């Protein structure tokens, strides 16, 4: 089955700096790669996703890159703000309808004011 | 759009009792719903996939007789933890996929279950 690894497990950055979180996966059939932000005591919130026919996607301060050959993808947050502090999860799925999502172990991001 | 609600948000119960958690898609129809469990400082672990009008598909190691799932309509799925024990204490989260086919999942706010 799919195995998703995520690094680092914890990350502290100064406000205004960039944060990068990296994930690797094992199943070459995976085609959908979402990223979720989870605040304490809340459910995960989809912040950006990318599909295998695209190498990079950007949405304001957030960008995701995908290297399907190497089976890794990364989340980039620029100009970090204290409200970006949360746990971030990468995930993979086959990308077909109704498919289950496999989560990485998560990265706890702290943005220091 | 794509709002998912869960009820209750918190529940505390005695060991041996059963607890029902509801998951609703508020502004869309969800053919498929998923149930996850999350222990403190850990990732989300998929428990089961629930399709409207059919039996749920459980992940390996999840007891189907203990975690009863009913997906009776396109907007409601319920998870019943039967004969709950302290080790069942966890954060239970549902997610929904919109009807019509999509790979995007929208998550509920979660239910914190504490079994005394």
């Amino acid at each position: 089955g799919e195995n998703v690894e995520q690094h680092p497990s914890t990350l502290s950055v100064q406000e205004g700096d960039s944060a990068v979180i990296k994930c690797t996966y094992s199943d070459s059939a995976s085609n959908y790669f979402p990223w979720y932000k989870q605040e304490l005591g809340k459910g995960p919130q989809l912040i950006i996703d990318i599909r295998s026919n695209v190498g990079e996607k950007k949405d304001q301060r957030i960008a995701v890159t995908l290297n399907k050959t190497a089976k890794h993808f990364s989340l980039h947050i620029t100009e970090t703000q204290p409200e970006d502090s949360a746990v971030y999860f990468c995930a993979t799925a086959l990308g077909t309808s109704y498919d289950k999502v496999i989560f990485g172990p998560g990265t706890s991001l702290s943005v220091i004011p | 759009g794509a709002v998912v609600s869960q009820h209750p948000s918190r529940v505390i119960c005695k060991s041996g009792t059963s607890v029902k958690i509801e998951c609703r898609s508020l502004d869309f129809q969800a053919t498929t719903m998923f149930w996850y469990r999350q222990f403190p400082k850990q990732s989300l672990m998929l428990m089961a996939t629930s399709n409207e009008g059919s039996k749920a598909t459980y992940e390996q190691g999840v007891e189907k007789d203990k975690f009863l799932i009913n997906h009776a309509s396109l907007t409601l799925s319920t998870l019943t933890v039967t004969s709950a024990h302290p080790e069942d204490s966890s954060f239970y989260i549902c997610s929904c996929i919109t009807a019509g086919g999509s790979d995007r999942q929208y998550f509920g706010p979660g239910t914190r279950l504490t079994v005394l």
Side-chain angles (χ1 to χ4, degrees):
Chain A
E2 174 72 289
N3 180 43
V4 181
E5 296 184 356
Q6 186 171 345
H7 299 280
S9 56
T10 60
L11 178 61
S12 288
V13 299
Q14 290 289 332
E15 182 178 359
D17 287 350
S18 295
V20 180
I21 302 171
K22 299 181 179 182
C23 286
T24 61
Y25 62 98
S26 61
D27 191 346
S28 57
S30 292
N31 278 308
Y32 175 59
F33 307 90
W35 285 88
Y36 295 91
K37 175 184 180 182
Q38 186 178 31
E39 297 176 342
L40 191 62
K42 298 183 178 180
Q45 176 188 7
L46 178 70
I47 56 172
I48 195 167
D49 56 12
I50 192 169
R51 291 174 175 80
S52 61
N53 58 345
V54 176
E56 184 174 352
K57 183 176 178 181
K58 188 174 182 179
D59 182 4
Q60 298 183 342
R61 297 187 296 109
I62 295 174
V64 57
T65 59
L66 170 66
N67 183 327
K68 206 160 190 306
T69 303
K71 297 200 197 72
H72 65 72
F73 55 115
S74 301
L75 177 72
H76 304 252
I77 306 174
T78 59
E79 301 173 29
T80 54
Q81 302 167 2
E83 50 266 37
D84 294 330
S85 297
V87 178
Y88 290 81
F89 293 98
C90 63
T92 69
L94 291 178
T96 58
S97 299
Y98 320 124
D99 184 49
K100 61 186 180 183
V101 167
I102 306 299
F103 281 81
T107 296
S108 178
L109 173 65
S110 297
V111 179
I112 303 166
Chain B
V3 178
V4 178
S5 72
Q6 280 184 241
H7 179 78
S9 57
R10 283 177 186 274
V11 56
I12 300 173
C13 68
K14 293 182 179 179
S15 186
T17 60
S18 294
V19 175
K20 180 185 284 188
I21 302 170
E22 293 186 348
C23 175
R24 293 181 184 271
S25 55
L26 297 184
D27 53 356
F28 65 101
Q29 292 184 328
T31 310
T32 302
M33 294 184 176
F34 301 89
W35 285 96
Y36 293 83
R37 180 167 52 182
Q38 185 179 33
F39 292 107
K41 297 186 186 274
Q42 293 189 22
S43 188
L44 284 77
M45 298 302 296
L46 181 65
M47 299 175 67
T49 302
S50 168
N51 290 299
E52 186 263 339
S54 62
K55 290 184 179 180
T57 302
Y58 290 82
E59 294 299 301
Q60 191 173 6
V62 178
E63 300 175 58
K64 62 180 181 181
D65 294 330
K66 181 169 182 63
F67 299 99
L68 302 179
I69 293 172
N70 186 345
H71 193 159
S73 76
L74 286 173
T75 59
L76 173 64
S77 176
T78 61
L79 168 68
T80 301
V81 183
T82 62
S83 187
H85 292 286
E87 57 265 30
D88 297 324
S89 299
S90 188
F91 195 47
Y92 292 86
I93 309 170
C94 70
S95 71
C96 304
I97 288 182
T98 58
S102 169
D103 46 19
R104 281 186 174 160
Q105 291 191 26
Y106 298 93
F107 285 80
T111 296
R112 173 73 59 192
L113 170 63
T114 303
V115 184
L116 303 176

